[in-house]
Amino acid sequence: MTYTFWIVLTGCLVGLTCGVTGSLLVLRKMSMIADAISHTVLLGIVGAFFITQSLNGIPMLIGAAIVGLVTAFLVEALDNSGVQSDAAIGVVFTTLFALAVVFISFIGDQVHLDTQHALMGEIAFVPWDTVQINGNDYGPKAVWMLGSVLVINFILIGLFYKQIKTSTFDPQFATLIGVPVVFMHYLLMTMVSLSTVASFDSVGAILVVAMLIVPGATAYLLTDRFLNILILSGVIGVVSALLGYLGAVYWNVSIAGSMATAVGILFALAFFFSPKHGILFKTWHNRSKRKETTIQNH
């Protein structure tokens, strides 16, 4: 496999994993919790390093999942206590992320982890950090981690599809028919945490946030069906990664930044040209209705 192939595959896996999982956050009107978790999982990564003295995949995933759940719990606790939801997210997000930054300063030069690396990532280095078993190279660690999390997320969505769908659109009805709404909420937070940390090391928090929120928001403008939104979100994430890589190569700019820009451009196109919710469609529809009203009045 070529150097370019591994970079493109990593970007596509990030777009697919985060796009599908993030669309559930968009439908639940919890998009900004993705921003919080994508930063606070750094605390889980640092904590895992202090315990194991290693940045291997499994301890990182466990640490991130724990901190992601703690983030969701603290935000909900503050929200229930009377703090506005956006303020609750801001308080928890900044506090846990700042704590992680403080802990990073104790690591020093022991490991390639700093705040700039955490925010921006470096997907160009992915092909060099590979899985080595008995002298054999089995490809980048990031690809294996992202692929594993993608499979886990798909299995969980498949197993709890009806429960997730019901609790997303009508949580009160879901509670009445016995759906464990609280469990579904924290299951989603776990999926988001795993998706975030799997993507974190290679592409950084900024692209993770973009892929968690924007593909889902774009798909929401294009269709009203739950399953279609999940599928479209993944497709948009993958297309954004491909277009972003081509743009980065052509203009010689940041790959992760170019991918985030590409997904923003796709959202803008859907925002203006969507056949159902696009600005141009709504404008045309309103003008048509006014003309019909004018004709009827005359």
Side-chain angles (χ1 to χ4, degrees), residues 123-144:
I123 196 172
F125 293 159
V126 163
W128 309 120
D129 188 15
T130 60
V131 176
Q132 300 281 342
I133 302 177
N134 296 326
N136 296 318
D137 189 333
Y138 290 93
K141 293 179 181 178
V143 171
W144 283 101

Side-chain angles (χ1 to χ4, degrees), residues 1 10 14 21 34 39 50 122 137 162 199 216 228 233 248 256 273:
M1 300 297 181
T10 302
V14 171
T21 309
H39 287 77
F50 275 119
E122 189 44 79
D137 189 333
K162 292 182 179 179
S199 311
N228 290 348
S233 297
F273 299 107

Side-chain angles (χ1 to χ4, degrees), residues 4-58:
T4 298
F5 171 81
W6 289 123
I7 293 177
V8 172
L9 179 60
T10 302
C12 290
L13 286 173
V14 171
L16 183 57
T17 306
C18 293
V20 173
T21 309
S23 65
L24 298 174
L25 292 177
V26 172
L27 291 172
R28 288 168 175 255
K29 299 180 180 179
M30 298 172 58
S31 298
M32 291 315 298
I33 197 81
D35 188 21
I37 290 177
S38 66
H39 287 77
T40 59
V41 292
L42 180 61
L43 181 59
I45 294 173
V46 176
F49 176 80
F50 275 119
I51 295 172
T52 66
Q53 293 298 303
S54 171
L55 287 178
N56 289 330
I58 300 301

Side-chain angles (χ1 to χ4, degrees), residues 93-104:
F93 157 39
T94 53
T95 302
L96 296 185
F97 183 66
L99 187 61
V101 173
V102 171
F103 284 159
I104 286 178

Side-chain angles (χ1 to χ4, degrees), residues 128-270:
W128 309 120
D129 188 15
T130 60
V131 176
Q132 300 281 342
I133 302 177
N134 296 326
N136 296 318
D137 189 333
Y138 290 93
K141 293 179 181 178
V143 171
W144 283 101
M145 188 179 296
L146 283 163
S148 300
V149 170
L150 178 63
V151 171
I152 292 171
N153 287 349
F154 278 6
I155 290 174
L156 291 174
I157 292 174
L159 289 175
F160 299 102
Y161 179 80
K162 292 182 179 179
Q163 293 89 336
I164 291 173
K165 182 178 179 180
T166 306
S167 61
T168 295
F169 291 106
D170 196 340
Q172 293 180 340
F173 175 72
T175 302
L176 289 175
I177 64 175
V179 174
V181 175
V182 175
F183 174 75
M184 289 297 111
H185 172 74
Y186 285 105
L187 179 67
L188 175 58
M189 294 302 103
T190 302
M191 291 166 60
V192 171
S193 300
L194 293 177
S195 301
T196 298
V197 74
S199 311
F200 197 90
D201 187 49
S202 55
V203 300
I206 293 177
L207 181 57
V208 171
V209 174
M211 288 300 189
L212 280 171
I213 298 175
V214 186
T218 306
Y220 187 75
L221 292 173
L222 299 174
T223 180
D224 296 326
R225 295 189 60 187
F226 181 69
L227 181 59
N228 290 348
I229 288 176
L230 295 182
I231 295 172
L232 265 178
S233 297
V235 171
I236 291 168
V238 171
V239 172
S240 300
L242 294 172
L243 294 177
Y245 180 77
L246 292 175
V249 171
Y250 184 79
W251 283 293
N252 192 26
V253 295
S254 164
I255 298 174
S258 183
M259 290 179 178
T261 302
V263 74
I265 292 173
L266 292 180
F267 173 81
L269 291 174

